[in-house]
């Protein structure tokens, strides 16, 4: 990635030596982040910079604490070449995944390597959460920082994944009435004051899609939909490589989508009377619905994952459970596909993971008769918590945009 012609920046405006140096710095840092350790010669080849300029660049970045030497290339004729890598200590970020039971926090360095994790359990009553959200978030982050041997002063940014979505007009978390304590309009400011970092609050399914886009089965697709079937049900829509959020942040809240045979969520997306955070499609394919469906066919299990595991090895009753669940999923997917026409639909969450390839095949068969577009249908192959992985990806990207800017 070479610098633009002398005297001009990419947008055609006159460039100064300082701006051009910063552009070369960023190009080199991005290459080191993507490829790992590189020699001065290889970095020069990839950027188009001369050896003296590449040497000056690396010296500048090393002095700024952004890169560090790390061993040598051996086994070649001549002197061993010095390798350089991103300095992991240049910045650290926190990522959190919030659910009804608690908060999981992870801390990573600027390379994306996780260096500490911690989970806190939420209080069991709504009253005990009043005014304590920031305190619980801080407890989770502090635990992850302690595991990494760091403190809050080491953090450069925090990304929090929650059910629902932060309304950009009001700052209020909507579509998540089952998360007491998270409804304050000043929530982001309260968290920023506690953690002393920039705060991004993002929909959890959107972050699962970020993980899928960069680390999972959707890496080769610019247009895809991720459908999340778990305790909650939602979707993330990626068009042209960009997440679609909607005017109120509620794009993809398909748990509220009305379908034949499904009770509606009364009172709207913020009604406290909807304890599971949804109605409609949510009532057909969410984890509680799967447990109930299995029970109707004689399969008793405490969770959707265990119910589907039993169904997969139980001919007759299990087949009926999987077929009915596939029919329900396909009915909801058909509406998404008809509106968005994605290249790919990724099934994720507890229900999809537990049903696996057998469920995917049944959904594909059912969908064939319902939707005219024929997107590819895949099960998520992300290992670990996709929400936390997506939050880490976004947090690291945001931190690099700040830390790697040497202008």
């Amino acid at each position: 990635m070479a610098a633009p012609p002398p005297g001009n920046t990419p947008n055609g405006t006159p460039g100064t030596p300082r701006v051009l140096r910063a552009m070369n710095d960023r190009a080199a840092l991005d290459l080191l982040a993507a490829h790992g350790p590189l020699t001065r010669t290889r970095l020069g080849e990839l950027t188009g910079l001369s050896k003296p300029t590449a040497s000056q660049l690396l010296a500048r970045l090393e002095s700024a604490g952004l890169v560090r030497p790390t061993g040598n290339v051996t086994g070649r004729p001549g002197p061993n070449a010095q390798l350089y890598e991103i300095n992991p200590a240049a910045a650290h970020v926190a990522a959190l995944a919030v659910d009804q039971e608690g908060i999981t926090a992870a801390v990573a360095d600027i390379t994306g390597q996780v260096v500490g994790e911690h989970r806190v359990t939420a209080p069991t009553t709504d009253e005990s959460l009043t005014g304590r959200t920031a305190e619980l978030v801080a407890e989770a982050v502090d635990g992850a920082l302690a595991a990494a041997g760091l403190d809050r002063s080491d953090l450069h940014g925090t990304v929090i994944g929650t059910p629902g979505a932060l309304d950009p007009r009001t700052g209020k978390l909507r579509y998540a009435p089952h998360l007491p304590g998270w409804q304050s309009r000043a929530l982001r400011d309260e968290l920023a004051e506690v953690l002393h970092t920039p705060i991004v609050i993002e929909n959890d399914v959107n972050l699962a899609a970020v993980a899928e886009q960069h680390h999972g089965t959707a890496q080769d697709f610019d247009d895809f939909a991720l459908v999340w079937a778990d305790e909650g049900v939602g979707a993330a829509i990626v068009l042209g490589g960009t997440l679609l959020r909607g005017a109120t942040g509620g794009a993809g809240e398909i748990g509220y989508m009305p379908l034949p045979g499904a009770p509606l969520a009364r009172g709207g997306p913020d009604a406290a009377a909807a304890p599971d955070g949804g109605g409609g499609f949510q009532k057909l394919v969410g984890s509680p619905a799967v447990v109930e469906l299995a029970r109707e066919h004689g399969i008793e299990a405490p969770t959707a994952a265990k119910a589907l595991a039993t169904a997969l090895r139980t001919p007759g009753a299990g087949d009926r459970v999987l077929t009915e669940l596939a029919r329900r999923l396909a009915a909801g997917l058909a509406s998404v596909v008809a509106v968005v026409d994605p290249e790919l639909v990724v099934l994720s969450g507890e229900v999809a993971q537990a049903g696996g390839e057998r469920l995917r095949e049944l959904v594909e068969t059912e969908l064939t008769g319902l939707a005219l577009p024929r997107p590819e249908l895949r099960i998520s192959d992300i290992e670990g918590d996709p929400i936390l992985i997506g939050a880490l990806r976004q947090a690291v990207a945001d931190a690099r945009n700040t830390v790697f800017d040497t202008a």
Side-chain angles (χ1 to χ4, degrees), residues 294 298-301 303-315 317-319 322 354:
I299 297 176
E300 295 287 341
T303 67
K306 291 183 177 180
L308 290 174
T310 302
L312 286 168
R313 61 174 184 266
T314 306
D319 294 335
L322 291 165

Side-chain angles (χ1 to χ4, degrees), residues 122-130 180:
T124 55
T125 63
D126 293 0
E127 290 77 11
S128 57
L129 271 170
T130 303

Side-chain angles (χ1 to χ4, degrees), residues 41-367:
T41 299
R42 182 58 179 152
L43 191 61
E45 292 171 351
L46 291 171
T47 58
L49 299 174
S50 67
K51 288 184 179 180
T53 302
S55 294
Q56 293 170 5
L57 178 151
L58 286 169
R60 186 165 63 247
L61 295 179
E62 185 177 359
S63 177
L66 294 175
V67 303
R68 67 182 185 183
T70 174
N72 302 90
V73 176
T74 60
R76 296 181 179 180
N80 293 336
Q82 177 72 61
L83 286 165
Y84 292 86
E85 67 177 2
I86 297 291
N87 180 5
H92 290 87
V93 297
L96 294 87
V98 179
D99 55 59
Q100 202 165 356
E101 284 73 42
I103 302 171
T104 301
V107 170
D109 61 37
I110 196 68
T111 71
Q113 179 66 41
V114 175
V115 294
E117 291 190 53
H118 187 66
R119 180 167 175 84
V120 297
T121 302
T124 55
T125 63
D126 293 0
E127 290 77 11
S128 57
L129 271 170
T130 303
R132 288 201 58 207
T133 301
E135 179 184 332
L136 287 172
V137 167
E139 182 182 344
V141 171
D142 286 344
L145 285 168
L150 303 169
D151 58 40
R152 294 184 195 176
S153 65
D154 294 299
L155 286 182
H156 284 69
T158 303
V159 173
I160 303 174
T162 73
L166 205 68
D167 189 326
R169 302 172 303 182
T170 67
K172 182 179 179 181
L173 188 69
R174 304 191 67 206
Y175 308 97
H178 58 305
L179 280 185
W182 286 81
Q183 312 305 325
S184 169
R185 293 178 184 271
L187 177 62
R188 185 160 46 194
D189 292 339
E190 293 167 1
L191 295 175
E193 184 176 353
V194 170
L195 296 180
H196 305 294
T197 75
I199 300 290
V200 174
I201 300 176
E202 178 63 273
N203 173 260
D204 53 0
V205 182
N206 281 351
L207 290 174
V210 170
E212 210 68 53
Q213 185 177 22
H214 295 283
H215 305 288
T217 191
Q219 290 182 70
D220 297 327
F221 294 82
D222 290 328
D223 299 282
F224 72 94
L226 181 139
V227 174
W228 179 269
D230 206 290
E231 288 294 325
V233 174
I237 310 299
V238 176
L239 299 176
T242 302
L243 274 166
L244 177 67
R245 291 183 170 84
T248 66
E253 290 291 345
I254 61 173
Y256 295 90
M257 183 168 61
L259 289 175
L264 299 180
R266 299 299 179 184
D270 304 318
D276 60 359
F281 194 38
Q282 162 83 25
K283 295 291 188 179
L284 291 179
V285 300
S287 294
V290 173
V291 171
E292 180 59 30
L293 174 62
R295 184 177 297 118
E296 291 172 2
H297 291 275
I299 297 176
E300 295 287 341
T303 67
K306 291 183 177 180
L308 290 174
T310 302
L312 286 168
R313 61 174 184 266
T314 306
D319 294 335
R320 290 188 290 274
V321 169
L322 291 165
T323 300
E324 172 60 19
L325 177 58
R327 184 190 67 78
R328 296 179 180 185
L329 280 166
L333 290 181
S335 297
V336 175
V337 169
V339 173
V340 180
D341 189 18
E343 298 176 84
L344 170 72
V345 173
V346 180
L347 299 178
S348 190
E350 179 189 40
V351 172
Q353 293 293 330
E357 185 61 20
R358 173 80 183 285
L359 180 61
R360 187 204 67 80
E361 291 174 352
L362 290 169
V363 173
E364 187 172 60
T365 299
E366 292 286 340
L367 191 60

